[in-house]
Amino acid sequence: MRDVLDELVGWWQAGETVGMGTVVATWRSAPRPAGAAMLVGPDGTAVGSVSGGCVEGAVYEEAQDAVGTGEPALRRYGVSDDDAFAVGLTCGGILDVFVETVSRESFPELGEVKQSVDRHEPVAVVTCVAGPDDRLGRRLVVWPDRASGTLGTQRLDDAVAADARGMLAAGRTGMLHVGHDGERRGDELELFVNAFAPRARMVVFGAIDFAAAVARVGSFLGYRVTVCDARPVFATPRRFPEADEVVVEWPHRYLQAEVDAGRIDERTVLCVLTHDPKFDVPLLEVALRLPVAYVGAMGSRRTHEERMARLAEAGLTGPELARLSSPIGLDLGARTPEETAVSIAAEIIAGRWGGSGERLAGTEGPIHRTAER
């Protein structure tokens, strides 16, 4: 919906009803990703694309029907190999498209969604795309600190909002399957979560074997992963296939350049695995003064003490030093790079959602936090 948001809001503000088809799921080499949308305006104008041309005609007719009847529908389309080739693909694919109407009455929060997108504030739109007739097409709009609308019941809204915030924090758009009241083992309801946020970043400094494992688990958690090291012989894409990018640069210079370019935000995770003073001290001087989600540094207890002394000498304050997670990770008894990566990921997750890191068997109260710290 991001690509057609300006046109959609223009018609919405004018009090018009618009037909909209949104890709909610794909298989194989589908032409467009989940979240791609096409509008049919009140004058019959088509805006946007769900398939690069393959099934636009069918979706156009479905959107017109939805405007006429007011009834939403979930449709599945198969893209033939010939059609796929015509739009530059190597093979066909399958996509599910949810067709609905958008108006001030059906989507009163659209104006707020547009404002959040313009301000680069994370927001997710959750839509029921399959389920009982009284739930179909209902929406819940979720921000990190609040929600608006309803999917049917408060228990359902609370459960879905918690899951949607997790997807929003990772910048991930996709489907949720839950029960009528939000039961996570249920599948009576299919909900499409359209997350308006880029993927959160994980920057791993130090091209070592532990970094490869951390990059792998970071990618698994949904982060956009960058590995950075000043040594070109070690910082190669071949050594870090799970990373989205591998950068050869002095770590502190790279981080400062990313800050200056506006590519570091409060969701960013920084993992300093260099454990070499000439790299990590200048880097941490920059990192610990940034409003990021997490800064962790690898090293022994002795390395940690020496590092903290150097950072204090460099002028970092007590509160700034207190933000450093060092030695990095939770105490899981990890030994291998993979086990260590899990301990680092566990600490990042606990920090994101306010977890204690204790065994759930020894705690009481709600398992899932509903808001970020």
Side-chain angles (χ1 to χ4, degrees):
M1 190 166 68
R2 187 190 296 270
D3 293 341
V4 299
L5 192 53
D6 289 341
E7 291 86 352
L8 180 61
V9 170
W11 280 315
W12 178 86
Q13 289 175 332
E16 302 284 2
T17 298
V18 180
M20 182 170 72
T22 304
V23 177
V24 298
T26 64
W27 293 267
R28 295 171 61 199
S29 296
R32 298 295 308 278
M38 185 180 82
L39 309 178
V40 177
D43 59 354
T45 301
V47 178
S49 172
V50 294
S51 70
C54 303
V55 299
E56 315 295 9
V59 174
Y60 184 92
E61 293 181 3
E62 290 284 354
Q64 286 189 315
D65 289 344
V67 171
T69 65
E71 297 179 0
L74 181 64
R75 297 288 185 250
R76 176 163 293 178
Y77 300 96
V79 181
S80 71
D81 289 345
D82 289 341
D83 285 340
F85 181 78
V87 293
L89 300 172
T90 57
C91 60
I94 299 171
L95 60 157
D96 282 353
V97 177
F98 184 67
V99 183
E100 59 185 322
T101 60
V102 175
S103 66
R104 283 186 172 273
E105 292 73 26
S106 68
F107 198 169
E109 301 88 0
L110 181 59
E112 288 184 85
V113 171
K114 178 65 162 59
Q115 290 176 359
S116 292
V117 171
D118 288 345
R119 292 194 293 255
H120 304 288
E121 296 173 350
V123 59
V125 179
V126 185
T127 306
C128 181
V129 299
D133 290 343
D134 64 335
R135 302 288 182 89
L136 194 63
R138 285 180 175 261
R139 290 188 187 85
L140 181 70
V141 181
V142 180
W143 289 268
D145 59 349
R146 68 189 193 281
S148 180
T150 182
L151 296 168
T153 70
Q154 190 63 52
R155 288 183 62 184
L156 173 62
D157 292 345
D158 290 344
V160 171
D163 288 348
R165 287 188 178 106
M167 296 175 68
L168 189 58
R172 184 166 63 87
T173 287
M175 296 289 288
L176 290 176
H177 297 82
V178 299
H180 289 294
D181 276 334
E183 303 91 341
R184 288 180 171 84
R185 288 189 174 184
D187 60 1
E188 293 89 355
L189 302 177
E190 295 184 31
L191 309 173
F192 177 63
V193 182
N194 201 346
F196 292 90
R199 283 192 294 165
R201 293 192 65 186
M202 172 185 282
V203 187
V204 183
F205 298 97
I208 63 176
D209 52 354
F210 286 90
V214 172
R216 191 177 308 122
V217 76
S219 178
F220 174 75
L221 291 176
Y223 286 98
R224 178 174 173 265
V225 180
T226 301
V227 174
C228 175
D229 195 294
R231 303 165 299 175
V233 68
F234 295 115
T236 65
R238 183 175 181 178
R239 296 189 68 225
F240 301 97
E242 302 295 332
D244 293 280
E245 59 182 349
V246 179
V247 176
V248 178
E249 179 58 280
W250 279 77
H252 69 286
R253 292 176 185 169
Y254 174 73
L255 180 58
Q256 187 60 62
E258 292 298 284
V259 172
D260 295 341
R263 292 190 285 264
I264 300 295
D265 62 24
E266 68 280 357
R267 301 175 302 146
T268 301
V269 165
L270 305 176
C271 299
V272 181
L273 310 184
T274 51
H275 56 79
D276 183 332
K278 69 176 179 290
F279 290 122
D280 60 19
V281 172
L283 171 60
L284 289 169
E285 285 185 60
V286 178
L288 292 174
R289 292 183 169 121
L290 299 176
V292 294
Y294 174 86
V295 182
M298 178 176 281
S300 65
R301 299 287 184 188
R302 180 177 178 179
T303 298
H304 167 71
E305 291 173 2
E306 293 174 350
R307 179 192 292 133
M308 294 294 278
R310 288 191 177 95
L311 290 171
E313 290 174 3
L316 272 76
T317 65
E320 289 170 341
L321 293 173
R323 298 184 58 238
L324 178 60
S325 295
S326 174
I328 196 170
L330 295 185
D331 179 15
L332 304 184
R335 293 179 179 272
T336 68
E338 290 75 18
E339 290 173 346
T340 301
V342 170
S343 78
I344 294 170
E347 184 175 42
I348 291 169
I349 295 168
R352 177 193 292 176
W353 299 111
S356 66
E358 298 179 42
R359 296 180 65 208
L360 287 173
T363 64
E364 298 180 354
I367 293 175
H368 299 283
R369 269 68 174 181
T370 58
E372 294 182 78
R373 265 189 176 177

